[in-house]
Amino acid sequence: MLWLYSSGTPKTGMDGATRTPLPDQIHLEQNYPNPFNPQTYIRFRLLEPTEVTLKIYDALGQEVRTLASQERRESGDWQVLWDGKDDSGILVASGVYVCQLASGASSIAAKMSLVR
């Protein structure tokens, strides 16, 4: 797993438009690439320093991978690399997965497609 941090500088989408964070403490962007094989980047923004939990679930709602569990992160833009493996290090099957980012009472999710 790879954690990358950049300062609070706004990121731009592929269309060049600046993305504005939701009026909350966290913002989860769509993973890139999507669909992906064998790995994908999960990007999110924190508006203030906080503890975050980042998990991957399969289409049945079963937890597949915990990428962060109550880890303290500074405000700004973050990026995590998911290698398409579960917590045991085994490659997961093709399908739809859900990435959930949670901090305190805030939680947001996004669908991801893995194509092998």
Side-chain angles (χ1 to χ4, degrees), residues 13-25:
M14 295 180 89
D15 59 0
T18 300
R19 295 183 182 221
T20 304
L22 297 174
D24 203 344
Q25 302 308 316

Side-chain angles (χ1 to χ4, degrees), residues 4-112:
L4 298 175
Y5 172 72
S6 92
S7 66
T9 307
K11 296 292 182 189
T12 58
M14 295 180 89
D15 59 0
T18 300
R19 295 183 182 221
T20 304
L22 297 174
D24 203 344
Q25 302 308 316
I26 58 176
H27 176 70
L28 178 63
E29 293 188 26
Q30 186 63 53
N31 64 300
Y32 180 81
N34 189 34
F36 68 97
N37 178 15
Q39 60 192 21
T40 189
Y41 290 95
I42 300 166
R43 293 181 284 190
F44 60 94
R45 176 176 289 164
L46 302 176
L47 299 181
E48 63 182 33
T50 188
E51 291 181 355
V52 295
T53 298
L54 184 63
K55 294 186 177 193
I56 308 296
Y57 296 90
D58 64 17
L60 299 175
Q62 297 173 331
E63 188 177 315
V64 173
R65 180 85 182 258
T66 299
L67 297 173
S69 180
Q70 293 297 308
E71 292 184 16
R72 182 85 175 160
R73 298 285 174 224
E74 295 299 318
S75 61
D77 295 318
W78 290 89
Q79 180 170 274
V80 178
L81 177 67
W82 180 41
D83 57 6
K85 296 179 182 177
D86 64 14
D87 280 331
S88 300
I90 299 171
L91 289 172
V92 298
S94 294
V96 176
Y97 293 85
V98 175
C99 173
Q100 181 185 43
L101 175 66
S103 175
S106 299
S107 179
I108 190 168
K111 288 183 184 178
M112 306 182 295

